[in-house]
Amino acid sequence: MKISYNWLREYIPTDLTPLEISDILTSIGLEVEGLELFEPVKGSLEGVVAGEVVSCVKHPDADKLSLTRVDAGHGRILQIVCGAPNVAEGQKVAVALTGTTLYRGAGSMTIKKTKIRGELSEGMICAEDELGLGDSHDGIMVLDNDTVPGTPASEYFKIEKDTIFEIGLTPNRIDAASHYGVARDLAAWLGQSMEVNLKRPDTGDFRSDNNNYPIDVIIKDTESCIRYSGLTISGVKVASSPKWLQNRLRSIGLKPVNNIVDITNYVLHETGQPLHAFNADRIKGKKVIIGPLPDETEFTTLDEEVRLLSPEDLMICNEEEGMCLAGILGGTVSGVTGETVNIFLESACFDPVSIRKSARRHGLNTDASFRFERGSDPSITVYTLKRAAMLIKEIAGGSISSEITDVYPEPVAPVKLDMEYDYIDRMTGTKIDRQGIKTILCLLDFNLLEEKGGKLSVEVPLYRVDVTRRADVIEEILRIYGYNNIPAPESVHSTISYSEKPDREKYSHAVADMLTSLGFNEIIANSLTRSSWYTESPSFSEQKLVKIINPLSTDLDCLRQTLLFGGLEAVLYNANRKNHDLKLYEFGNIYSYSGNAREKGDLNHYREATRLAIFLSGTSGTVRWNSKGKPSDFFDIKAYVGQVFRRIGVDPDELKYNEPENDKVFLYGLQVMAGEKVIAEYGAVHPSHLEKADIKNQVFYADIRWDELISYAAQKTTVYTELPRYPEVRRDLAMEVDKSVNFSIIQEIAFKTEQSLLKNINLFDVYEGENITKGRKSLAISFILQDMEGTLKDRQIDAVMDRLARAFEKNAGARIRRTND
């Protein structure tokens, strides 16, 4: 949210600098995220002054140039060569002095002392477009005759620099979504130590000129429309807004439209109350009816989009048709145009839930819906109506041709709360002076009802829709009192807690630290994603989708079933920025629905599970002058998954490996099982997913079922042994086996045969081809033997290797030939 420093000072006169104000606002909960300079004219005409043409003669060497002498004030008489046809002696003109930089569009020009056709020129007499004040270049600008030479052009043209605060407004603080709202908070903080004059624009002179153009207001849906106020103004002249109004809007990033629309926007950002102006002549039947329209009714909004309405959409209608999507966006049928003469001005309070649902349904986010969604002040509708009507009369002319119509079926009652001082002390951690508490509450417009027996009864102002509990009131006291003023306690109070076993957080931190140390970057993707990832993919069931009833957008309309697509989006994001070599991981939850019919309140069929995803893409290793690195491959992802297992105490060699169940996720890969449970799947991502994500490189992905893995790891017992005193021995075997025999079978046979001395087994070569029987393959395997009680002797080693060879021949159909290192 943008707040103008100059605009803010209209309501709270202060000499505080923008930086000082930003510190105060941040301390009271309105965090200033940045400050920026606003100039209505780029450069603010610095170096440009008013001058008087003392003499003007024809240039001796150029027919279309004039040689002038200009009084630039302060005793400066400058000779300036000018090419404008309208320059004449006695004129007051705008002079750019030497060294001045003028801006025109994206370009700029610095004025220098130079010779033009042999004559010295010490500046430039400027045209309108050269100053950035318009588009005309027909001749120089001629200023008023009473202008004093030397007057800065910024002063003459009233060029006002401004500082803009960029405030990160939290959703609960909609009361501060305006200049007056921010001024009100600033005044509360300053009011603790000085007298502050908070100026609210006065509407005491508001009068209705006549009642010649009355329009009735009928609220059909009193739950969605809490209050509706309106009046008619006749004979307005729609035109461009005055410069001061345009500059106010431009300073906060708004584009001026016309004086009527600009005034409604101005009052919105002044008070926080959205307004809407209708072309009164388009209100058929002279009635404004607030209620829904039939399902699938077509309605064209001001952005010229045709929208199909829902019966849940609140509409502002006339007797025949809809005119405005209430609290969100007007329609083309009743919009204010250059031909509009009579307007109907609306100021209303709508139900936040109704507006939020309609805005999300139609994918709209406007300044009005932003405020109504969070809750508006029902007590301010008439005041803002008067404020806007008075500005319209002043700027656009016309007469107020109806009394204010104010329909308020069920007035909103303010929240009342009882605050015990002891409770305040306990919650704040300190004892704040009682008078100080009351002063702060009064400065925040809380009404103090009664103080009795250590208890203070307060009434919350209606514009503070977020203050509904005692804790909210204490938060208000603290933010104005100052969190920095709360002393640090000298004692610490704690309770003994027993963490659940297994400690999942401990495991996840250990794995995250390990992956980070291996060069991985952690990513955090949004749990909300677009359903098209799943509806257009055979890899996942659309029936299992957990869909959002009122999504923020079509890109965030369901909860993710997998971490795969969020990771692919991260890969694409980096690839588009020339970062192709990626090692990423994410801990996150996935969601699914396992029932058949979705019923409201049915929570038994929704599932949530934690997963660890690992992504590899591009080159592994660092590319150097003597090393090009190598492309990431299946064995890299396999190795990293194995390291994750080992880090939490699971030996990858004791697990079972199969092909993945879902061959639409992986082009090829492995499924890892602990007993009968799948704990991980990894491999190369299927090209169909890469194509949908627009990724050109191969991506390797591991999906580790964290909950199942942790449960399995918790069953393992860690055994500590002393370091071995005696050396290990390596022996190799080369064997020929059938192609269907996997290394895991050989490994299982080996450890069953020799459980005492065999410590490790490794496959270091596989060969198929010449000298190998068709349908078979040759495996070269190393065996590590070690005795913890003494040094192994040759006869012991040979005996073990003989037993292993016989076991392989018997159980795996192997043909052995033995080799030693």
Side-chain angles (χ1 to χ4, degrees):
M1 181 185 72
K2 294 182 183 294
I3 293 294
S4 158
Y5 173 68
N6 293 337
W7 194 347
L8 186 69
R9 292 174 67 198
E10 292 181 11
Y11 313 114
I12 178 168
T14 177
D15 294 328
L16 292 172
T17 66
L19 194 57
E20 290 170 331
I21 290 177
S22 70
D23 288 341
I24 295 171
L25 294 179
T26 298
S27 73
I28 60 178
L30 303 179
E31 183 181 1
V32 177
E33 298 177 338
L35 296 173
E36 62 182 47
L37 177 67
F38 171 75
E39 297 174 306
V41 176
K42 191 172 182 180
S44 297
L45 301 184
E46 290 186 6
V48 181
V49 300
E52 181 178 358
V53 181
V54 178
S55 68
C56 178
V57 297
K58 185 180 176 182
H59 191 290
D61 291 325
D63 293 338
K64 295 184 178 181
L65 297 180
S66 299
L67 189 60
T68 66
R69 295 179 71 248
V70 179
D71 179 3
H74 307 291
R76 295 173 295 187
I77 304 296
L78 307 175
Q79 179 172 291
I80 299 176
V81 176
C82 180
N86 65 327
V87 65
E89 184 178 324
Q91 288 176 336
K92 301 294 177 66
V93 294
V95 179
L97 305 175
T98 56
T100 299
T101 300
L102 299 178
Y103 299 89
R104 187 177 180 182
S108 63
M109 173 178 63
T110 300
I111 307 302
K112 298 178 180 178
K113 184 185 293 188
T114 186
K115 282 189 175 184
I116 301 176
R117 293 289 185 93
E119 295 293 338
L120 181 66
S121 184
E122 301 175 285
M124 185 171 82
I125 303 175
C126 300
E128 180 181 293
D129 64 332
E130 292 166 335
L131 295 176
L133 298 174
D135 299 321
S136 174
H137 196 69
D138 295 336
I140 61 170
M141 290 189 74
V142 180
L143 310 183
D144 296 337
N145 283 332
D146 57 355
T147 306
V148 178
T151 302
S154 58
E155 181 181 320
Y156 177 86
F157 292 107
K158 296 181 172 57
I159 303 299
E160 183 184 54
K161 286 184 181 181
D162 201 355
T163 300
I164 308 303
F165 302 95
E166 183 66 47
I167 295 179
L169 194 68
T170 54
N172 63 310
R173 290 303 314 279
I174 196 61
D175 63 289
S178 65
H179 284 77
Y180 186 77
V182 173
R184 187 167 49 201
D185 258 21
L186 181 60
W189 189 89
L190 294 173
Q192 297 178 95
S193 57
M194 65 177 72
E195 186 174 340
V196 179
N197 181 21
L198 182 62
K199 296 180 179 179
R200 187 186 190 187
D202 184 31
T203 59
D205 293 334
F206 174 86
R207 298 289 183 275
S208 176
D209 297 309
N210 55 65
N211 198 30
N212 297 336
Y213 209 133
I215 291 180
D216 293 333
V217 173
I218 301 168
I219 301 178
K220 287 186 176 180
D221 186 350
T222 55
E223 288 187 4
S224 298
C225 182
I226 299 167
R227 186 176 187 178
Y228 195 96
S229 308
L231 58 76
T232 309
I233 306 175
S234 302
V236 300
K237 183 179 179 181
V238 179
S240 296
S241 299
K243 286 293 183 183
W244 71 264
L245 179 53
Q246 292 189 33
N247 287 336
R248 282 285 182 259
L249 297 180
R250 285 195 179 104
S251 70
I252 57 172
L254 296 183
K255 183 180 179 180
V257 179
N258 59 52
N259 49 11
I260 303 299
V261 174
D262 291 350
I263 287 169
T264 60
N265 283 330
Y266 177 82
V267 174
L268 163 64
H269 289 276
E270 176 182 62
T271 65
Q273 171 63 32
L275 303 173
H276 188 71
F278 298 88
N279 186 335
D281 296 331
R282 298 286 186 90
I283 302 177
K284 298 175 182 177
K286 303 306 177 190
K287 289 182 180 178
V288 170
I289 303 168
I290 302 98
L293 287 176
D295 193 20
E296 299 293 312
T297 299
E298 290 189 353
F299 177 67
T300 305
T301 46
L302 286 172
D303 56 3
E304 299 184 350
E305 290 284 333
V306 178
R307 304 180 187 277
L308 296 179
L309 300 178
S310 160
E312 295 182 3
D313 292 329
L314 185 66
M315 294 293 296
I316 311 298
C317 312
N318 56 42
E319 279 195 331
E320 298 181 13
E321 60 193 347
M323 300 188 296
C324 177
L325 200 53
I328 302 173
L329 189 61
T332 56
V333 69
S334 60
V336 174
T337 66
E339 289 73 40
T340 300
V341 176
N342 305 313
I343 65 170
F344 176 76
L345 198 60
E346 164 198 284
S347 179
C349 177
F350 300 113
D351 175 57
V353 175
S354 172
I355 302 302
R356 183 163 56 250
K357 286 183 177 180
S358 290
R360 297 298 169 266
R361 187 178 299 113
H362 296 287
L364 290 169
N365 183 23
T366 63
D367 281 340
S369 67
F370 176 83
R371 287 157 176 82
F372 282 129
E373 286 175 18
R374 289 158 175 77
S376 62
D377 179 7
S379 68
I380 203 176
T381 60
V382 172
Y383 167 77
T384 52
L385 200 62
K386 292 178 179 179
R387 171 69 170 153
M390 292 173 70
L391 285 171
I392 289 172
K393 276 192 67 176
E394 176 188 339
I395 294 171
S399 58
I400 299 173
S401 50
S402 74
E403 298 295 335
I404 292 178
T405 301
D406 183 27
V407 183
Y408 198 1
E410 297 181 17
V412 178
V415 174
K416 296 179 181 180
L417 297 167
D418 292 331
M419 306 295 300
E420 294 85 4
Y421 286 121
D422 288 345
Y423 177 74
I424 296 174
D425 295 343
R426 188 166 66 254
M427 294 296 289
T428 59
T430 190
K431 187 171 183 177
I432 302 175
D433 177 66
R434 301 327 189 201
Q435 185 57 46
I437 292 174
K438 290 186 286 185
T439 298
I440 290 172
L441 291 175
C442 288
L443 290 168
L444 291 171
D445 291 340
F446 283 74
N447 187 14
L448 306 185
L449 301 176
E450 183 183 31
E451 184 179 11
K452 185 177 180 181
K455 181 171 68 176
L456 183 64
S457 299
V458 301
E459 184 179 85
V460 182
L462 286 175
Y463 65 79
R464 291 309 306 270
V465 294
D466 59 314
V467 180
T468 58
R469 308 167 301 164
R470 295 193 301 169
D472 298 329
V473 177
I474 292 173
E475 183 181 356
E476 292 301 296
I477 295 169
L478 275 176
R479 70 183 185 86
I480 301 301
Y481 178 75
Y483 290 102
N484 291 336
N485 293 326
I486 303 298
E490 296 180 357
S491 59
V492 176
H493 303 277
S494 65
T495 56
I496 298 175
S497 62
Y498 297 91
S499 60
E500 181 184 353
K501 301 295 182 182
D503 190 338
R504 296 173 181 272
E505 192 170 292
K506 179 181 177 181
Y507 279 121
S508 61
H509 284 174
V511 169
D513 288 345
M514 181 198 72
L515 290 173
T516 301
S517 69
L518 292 172
F520 281 80
N521 288 304
E522 183 175 9
I523 61 173
I524 302 176
N526 198 337
S527 295
L528 292 172
T529 185
R530 61 178 188 265
S531 57
S532 61
W533 277 120
Y534 304 95
T535 57
E536 299 172 8
S537 170
S539 306
F540 300 92
S541 170
E542 184 179 354
Q543 177 63 29
K544 292 183 178 181
L545 273 182
V546 179
K547 295 184 178 180
I548 307 301
I549 296 175
N550 296 306
L552 293 171
S553 71
T554 54
D555 286 338
L556 300 170
D557 61 350
C558 72
L559 289 168
R560 60 188 176 186
Q561 279 190 53
T562 175
L563 302 186
L564 171 62
F565 300 127
L568 292 181
E569 287 175 348
V571 171
L572 176 64
Y573 182 88
N574 281 274
N576 288 341
R577 287 154 181 80
K578 309 301 181 185
N579 185 18
H580 299 285
D581 302 331
L582 299 171
K583 296 165 71 174
L584 309 173
Y585 73 93
E586 178 183 12
F587 282 98
N589 290 349
I590 62 170
Y591 310 85
S592 62
Y593 177 76
S594 59
N596 295 319
R598 301 172 192 257
E599 298 178 1
K600 190 174 182 180
D602 175 23
L603 302 179
N604 295 325
H605 294 96
Y606 290 95
R607 299 288 180 266
E608 180 177 356
T610 303
R611 296 291 176 89
L612 166 61
I614 300 175
F615 299 89
L616 295 179
S617 183
T619 302
S620 63
T622 303
V623 177
R624 304 181 186 278
W625 68 271
N626 60 350
S627 173
K628 294 182 179 180
K630 72 175 189 67
S632 297
D633 58 26
F634 172 80
F635 296 102
D636 291 323
I637 194 76
K638 178 179 183 292
Y640 287 125
V641 171
Q643 287 178 289
V644 170
F645 289 164
R646 292 187 186 91
R647 184 64 186 85
I648 61 174
V650 174
D651 185 356
D653 294 335
E654 68 186 28
L655 303 171
K656 293 187 203 175
Y657 296 85
N658 305 312
E659 291 187 0
E661 290 179 352
N662 194 338
D663 59 359
K664 300 299 183 182
V665 173
F666 297 101
L667 178 63
Y668 55 85
L670 285 177
Q671 180 188 77
V672 187
M673 299 190 68
E676 299 302 317
K677 287 187 177 181
V678 177
I679 61 172
E681 290 183 315
Y682 55 85
V685 176
H686 198 280
S688 63
H689 295 307
L690 299 179
E691 182 180 354
K692 184 171 177 57
D694 198 25
I695 296 173
K696 310 301 181 187
N697 293 344
Q698 180 62 274
V699 177
F700 294 90
Y701 162 61
D703 177 22
I704 299 175
R705 303 186 182 187
W706 192 248
D707 295 325
E708 288 82 352
L709 179 60
I710 294 304
S711 297
Y712 180 72
Q715 301 171 13
K716 312 295 289 184
T717 302
T718 303
V719 178
Y720 295 90
T721 60
E722 64 175 333
L723 292 174
R725 298 181 181 180
Y726 304 101
E728 60 184 30
V729 176
R730 169 175 167 165
R731 289 290 184 268
D732 295 343
L733 278 181
M735 65 184 75
E736 185 181 300
V737 297
D738 190 81
K739 278 188 177 182
S740 62
V741 176
N742 294 327
F743 173 66
S744 59
I745 295 175
I746 300 296
Q747 193 176 36
E748 184 178 354
I749 294 171
F751 281 111
K752 280 185 178 179
T753 303
E754 178 54 56
Q755 300 179 5
S756 175
L757 300 180
L758 182 61
K759 302 304 178 185
N760 196 13
I761 177 173
N762 180 52
L763 174 67
F764 63 87
D765 188 42
V766 178
Y767 175 72
E768 296 179 34
E770 189 178 351
N771 299 326
I772 300 297
T773 307
K774 186 177 180 181
R776 294 173 71 82
K777 59 186 176 182
S778 174
L779 305 180
I781 301 172
S782 65
F783 300 84
I784 303 299
L785 307 176
Q786 188 176 45
D787 187 353
M788 303 300 289
E789 304 297 330
T791 301
L792 284 171
K793 298 193 169 41
D794 287 342
R795 54 187 173 77
Q796 292 176 282
I797 298 169
D798 292 341
V800 170
M801 297 307 296
D802 286 340
R803 285 199 304 275
L804 289 173
R806 288 194 298 273
F808 295 143
E809 290 171 339
K810 177 181 179 181
N811 299 313
R815 185 169 65 82
I816 305 295
R817 63 183 184 84
R818 185 180 305 172
T819 60
N820 293 332
D821 281 350

